[in-house]
């Protein structure tokens, strides 16, 4: 079996009780990841300082919405895209990645047309965002002890995995170092970039797959925003 290539991502932080330990492990291992942060947490100076540390240590900072209140495909209130995506991006300042990385809320790791509303899609295109999805979700937030085995299986099931973990309190991340060691022992290679099959929009340019991640509306389901 060919050893997998793995991109590490961490969602829903920064958290003082979890993020420092994650950063310590990544630094010892010489690995770089992307942290998809929640905007409301970035408004707290202590949590922002953790994002600044992550950025200084070579990690990328991505946008995971301001409230993480649910998938944007369920939103119909005018202005929700700016409130969730734009408001968070405005807090980043020099922490922003050049590709303006955005990860939608999946609701338990699901992928489908619930991820984005048409308003969110259009906002992301107009502001030249890059949408980053995922291909391995071991559920560390709901099973702090059992997730490493699922993560190993999911990463080994494909040649290129975008792994979603969560830098949240709860105990799951105390297994991170041992998990990474097992991946390394299996010959895994770590990359910080994202494969095309997990990126339905790059810098505002929509791929054909984007239509599968947007809630249908009155317009044709295949309708895509213009390239930017």
């Amino acid at each position: 079996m060919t050893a997998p290539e793995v991109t590490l991502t961490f969602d829903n932080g920064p958290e003082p009780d979890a993020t420092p330990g994650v950063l310590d492990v990544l630094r010892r291992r010489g690995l770089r990841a992307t942290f998809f942060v929640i905007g409301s947490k970035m408004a707290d100076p202590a949590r922002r300082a953790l994002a600044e540390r992550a950025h200084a240590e070579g990690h990328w900072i991505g946008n995971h919405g301001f409230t993480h209140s649910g998938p944007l495909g369920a939103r119909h209130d005018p202005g929700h895209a700016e409130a969730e995506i734009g408001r968070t991006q405005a807090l980043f300042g020099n922490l922003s990645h050049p590709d303006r990385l955005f990860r939608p809320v999946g609701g338990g790791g699901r992928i489908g047309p619930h991820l984005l509303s048409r308003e969110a899609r259009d906002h992301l295109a107009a502001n030249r965002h890059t949408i980053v999805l995922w291909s391995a979700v071991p559920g560390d937030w709901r099973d702090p002890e059992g997730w490493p085995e699922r993560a190993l299986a999911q990463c080994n099931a494909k040649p290129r995995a975008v792994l979603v973990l969560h830098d949240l309190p709860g105990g799951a991340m105390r297994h991170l170092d041992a998990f990474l060691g097992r991946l390394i022992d299996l010959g895994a290679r770590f990359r910080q970039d994202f494969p095309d099959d997990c990126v339905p929009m790059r810098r505002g340019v929509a791929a054909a797959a984007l239509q599968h991640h947007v809630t249908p509306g009155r317009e044709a389901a295949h309708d895509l925003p213009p390239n930017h």
Side-chain angles (χ1 to χ4, degrees):
M1 179 183 296
T2 303
E5 293 185 327
V6 179
T7 296
L8 297 170
T9 67
F10 296 87
D11 287 8
N12 296 17
E15 285 289 345
D17 292 335
T19 307
V22 169
L23 291 172
D24 290 345
V25 168
L26 296 175
R27 182 170 56 188
R28 286 196 303 270
R29 293 283 185 181
L31 301 176
R32 293 182 176 179
T34 300
F35 288 81
F36 288 96
V37 303
I38 295 176
S40 59
K41 295 184 178 182
M42 287 288 287
D44 170 46
R47 287 174 169 83
R48 182 183 177 85
L50 293 173
E52 290 173 347
R53 174 188 164 185
H55 182 263
E57 293 180 3
H59 305 293
W60 295 345
I61 305 299
N63 184 330
H64 200 31
F66 194 82
T67 65
H68 199 270
S69 57
L72 292 181
R75 297 283 296 269
H76 306 288
D77 49 312
H80 65 267
E82 174 60 31
E84 288 289 338
I85 305 168
R87 186 179 181 189
T88 299
Q89 198 68 34
L91 290 169
F92 283 2
N94 63 358
L95 301 182
S96 180
H97 188 276
D99 288 350
R100 299 171 68 84
L101 305 171
F102 173 75
R103 169 167 281 169
V105 175
R110 296 177 299 120
I111 288 179
H114 66 289
L115 292 182
L116 298 169
S117 64
R118 289 169 292 155
E119 180 181 308
R121 174 200 65 189
D122 294 345
H123 176 95
L124 290 163
N127 290 279
R128 300 179 61 83
H129 280 277
T130 294
I131 301 172
V132 179
L133 303 182
W134 51 87
S135 58
V137 185
D140 56 303
W141 73 93
R142 60 177 169 242
D143 184 6
E145 302 302 321
W147 70 266
E149 293 299 330
R150 285 190 300 278
L152 285 169
Q154 290 174 11
C155 288
N156 275 317
K158 48 183 66 69
R160 186 84 165 81
V162 177
L163 176 64
V164 179
L165 299 175
H166 297 78
D167 51 327
L168 293 173
M173 290 301 96
R174 68 173 175 263
H175 302 297
L176 178 63
D177 188 55
F179 163 70
L180 294 174
R182 292 176 68 184
L183 269 181
I184 291 168
D185 289 345
L186 291 171
R189 294 180 54 228
F190 294 88
R191 301 176 55 160
Q192 198 173 16
D193 61 332
F194 304 103
D196 288 342
D197 61 356
C198 287
V199 182
M201 177 183 288
R202 285 190 188 272
R203 295 195 173 195
V205 179
L210 182 64
Q211 64 181 302
H212 303 301
H213 309 303
V214 180
T215 299
R218 288 190 299 271
E219 75 267 36
H222 62 268
D223 182 46
L224 296 175
N227 289 349
H228 290 264

